[in-house]
Amino acid sequence: MYSKLENQPSMGVLRTKDWLLSLADFLWSSVVVAPLVVLYWRGSWDLLDDLVYPPPEEGSIKLEDAPHPAIQRQLSGLVCYMVGLLVRICLDLSKYHIGEFLKTKSKYIRLSCSWIFNAVYALAGVSFWRGVWFLMKLDIGVGTVQLLVVLCGSLAVLIFTKVPKSLISSPLAISLDKHEVTFQNGTFFRKTPEAGCWFLIDVIFTNLVIRQLIVFCWWSLWSLENKILFKNYMGMQDFNVSTDSLFMGYAGAILTVGLDQLVRKVTTTKLYIMKPAATLVTILAFFSSVNVWRGVWSMLDHYFLHGIDPDENYVIGHVAGIVALTGIMVANTISNDSIVLDSETENAVNIGYWRQKPRKEEHEEMVPIIE
């Protein structure tokens, strides 16, 4: 145990190192992780466009035999939604048991199976989001009033239920590739299989209500910005790169990081000050995340391997995204949409990479001794 005098000379050094690590985390998350996450989602999303009830090729069938485009899009969205929802529910129900089972296995079996689980979970998540996105666009419409009602209503419910931080994504949230993160309990009520039917209800409620509200917020804000900013429609290349979203997203992300640090350092315990301040930072983080995604998605549409066949482009994006994220040990970021409770974290921003990266000794495998 060090005395105060012994600690004082290193205080400035430690503070400088902490500041540099925070800067490195932000730059790494913004410049490397976020584009790779969007690259994976774009490739997966557009592949589903081509695989799930794609529009018929010209001349492949007679015009009178072709299904109505609206019906075809409805079926495409419905199939993606149902498959993604059912796969997610099944994996949420089984992830606790799979995680416990893999703990007893060797390092390579555990890592391989965890990666496969994560890849399936991520693709099911993209399918679920695409399905909700399509169905909302077709059934609710993209009128300004409808979008505002959906955005404000969904956001209000998430704030009231104390889970608005679940809206935040990269570059303001990343997940390291750790066993406990891959198989963590991310449902709304935090029930475990020991709770019996309540665990099943928790999983279904999380997927049918909370996660859909999160998609509602993203879809409505994205669609509203299509009316104000440069348009960016998923699945098609627009005329302009969404540089306005890119600028606002990263400027908002910088502001969010600063305000998040400021709120954490405020010493007052008055809830009528802290609660609104934390909520505003969370909403700003959500707004910044959406705009970074719009901007990066638009840039990929225009500049990522632009000269090759679109299907090849999507496959390369899908594979390159998940492989690169696996290589830097943050592949969980593409699939980890666990519900974040306000009571479990004070931070709106969670981008610890260099400061949280496990040391070599933490990677040592602990193999159980079987007598």
Side-chain angles (χ1 to χ4, degrees):
M1 189 172 185
Y2 297 99
S3 66
K4 291 183 179 180
L5 290 176
E6 290 173 331
N7 279 332
Q8 281 179 354
S10 63
M11 290 284 286
V13 176
L14 291 176
R15 192 179 299 112
T16 301
K17 182 179 179 181
D18 185 69
W19 183 87
L20 290 175
L21 285 174
S22 298
L23 178 62
D25 284 340
F26 178 76
L27 292 176
W28 183 257
S29 178
S30 299
V31 179
V32 179
V33 178
L36 288 174
V37 172
V38 179
L39 177 66
Y40 169 84
W41 270 72
R42 172 184 173 270
S44 305
W45 190 289
D46 290 338
L47 278 176
L48 291 173
D49 278 342
D50 293 341
L51 295 175
V52 184
Y53 285 99
E57 296 182 5
E58 186 176 351
S60 60
I61 60 175
K62 295 180 180 179
L63 183 61
E64 60 270 17
D65 296 333
H68 192 279
I71 297 177
Q72 199 162 22
R73 290 193 295 269
Q74 189 89 16
L75 286 172
S76 180
L78 185 60
V79 169
C80 280
Y81 170 71
M82 292 303 299
V83 171
L85 177 65
L86 292 175
V87 172
R88 274 297 184 93
I89 289 176
C90 291
L91 293 179
D92 281 337
L93 290 172
S94 61
K95 67 165 25 177
Y96 182 86
H97 302 289
I98 295 174
E100 289 295 308
F101 172 76
L102 291 177
K103 277 185 178 180
T104 64
K105 302 302 175 183
S106 66
K107 176 180 179 180
Y108 296 105
I109 292 177
R110 177 171 54 82
L111 292 178
S112 300
C113 293
S114 297
W115 188 89
I116 294 172
F117 179 93
N118 190 44
V120 175
Y121 201 82
L123 188 57
V126 177
S127 179
F128 174 78
W129 273 65
R130 180 181 179 273
V132 176
W133 205 280
F134 264 52
L135 295 175
M136 290 295 289
K137 181 178 179 180
L138 293 171
D139 296 338
I140 303 300
V142 290
T144 303
V145 175
Q146 295 99 304
L147 293 173
L148 285 172
V149 170
V150 171
L151 176 60
C152 296
S154 301
L155 191 58
V157 172
L158 292 175
I159 293 174
F160 178 76
T161 53
K162 301 180 180 180
V163 290
K165 292 185 177 72
S166 306
L167 291 166
I168 303 171
S169 182
S170 55
L172 296 173
I174 64 174
S175 297
L176 300 182
D177 289 348
K178 296 181 179 180
H179 183 84
E180 61 272 18
V181 175
T182 303
F183 298 100
Q184 69 179 338
N185 184 359
T187 55
F188 180 76
F189 294 107
R190 297 296 193 263
K191 298 295 182 181
T192 62
E194 286 76 14
C197 64
W198 290 111
F199 176 60
L200 174 62
I201 293 172
D202 185 18
V203 169
I204 293 176
F205 177 81
T206 299
N207 285 279
L208 277 179
V209 179
I210 302 299
R211 282 179 176 154
Q212 286 196 179
L213 288 172
I214 294 171
V215 185
F216 291 172
C217 288
W218 272 69
W219 167 77
S220 54
L221 179 57
W222 192 300
S223 300
L224 278 170
E225 292 190 352
N226 279 340
K227 296 177 175 294
I228 304 170
L229 309 176
F230 287 137
K231 291 180 172 57
N232 182 11
Y233 295 105
M234 292 181 175
M236 63 180 69
Q237 181 176 321
D238 302 296
F239 293 109
N240 300 296
V241 178
S242 299
T243 51
D244 44 8
S245 275
L246 199 65
F247 173 77
M248 287 194 303
Y250 278 112
I254 295 172
L255 183 60
T256 300
V257 172
L259 291 176
D260 190 50
Q261 293 287 335
L262 181 63
V263 170
R264 287 168 53 194
K265 292 179 180 179
V266 172
T267 57
T268 181
T269 58
K270 297 176 180 178
L271 290 179
Y272 66 87
I273 296 177
M274 296 303 298
K275 185 63 177 177
T279 301
L280 287 175
V281 173
T282 300
I283 294 174
L284 178 60
F286 158 58
F287 172 82
S288 303
S289 299
V290 172
N291 277 280
V292 168
W293 276 60
R294 286 186 85 252
V296 173
W297 197 298
S298 178
M299 288 192 66
L300 292 173
D301 282 342
H302 283 81
Y303 301 121
F304 179 71
L305 302 178
H306 186 64
I308 69 173
D309 179 76
D311 289 341
E312 294 176 1
N313 185 301
Y314 305 149
V315 171
I316 292 173
H318 171 87
V319 175
I322 193 171
V323 170
L325 289 168
T326 301
I328 60 176
M329 298 175 59
V330 288
N332 274 329
T333 307
I334 60 176
S335 65
N336 189 2
D337 56 355
S338 297
I339 307 305
V340 181
L341 304 179
D342 286 348
S343 58
E344 293 180 347
T345 176
E346 296 180 355
N347 302 353
V349 178
N350 178 24
I351 53 175
Y353 181 83
W354 298 108
R355 65 176 64 248
Q356 293 185 23
K357 197 170 182 181
R359 298 185 300 271
K360 182 178 179 180
E361 59 268 21
E362 292 177 350
H363 280 288
E364 295 296 329
E365 187 67 21
M366 298 180 64
V367 181
I369 300 176
I370 302 176
E371 298 291 343

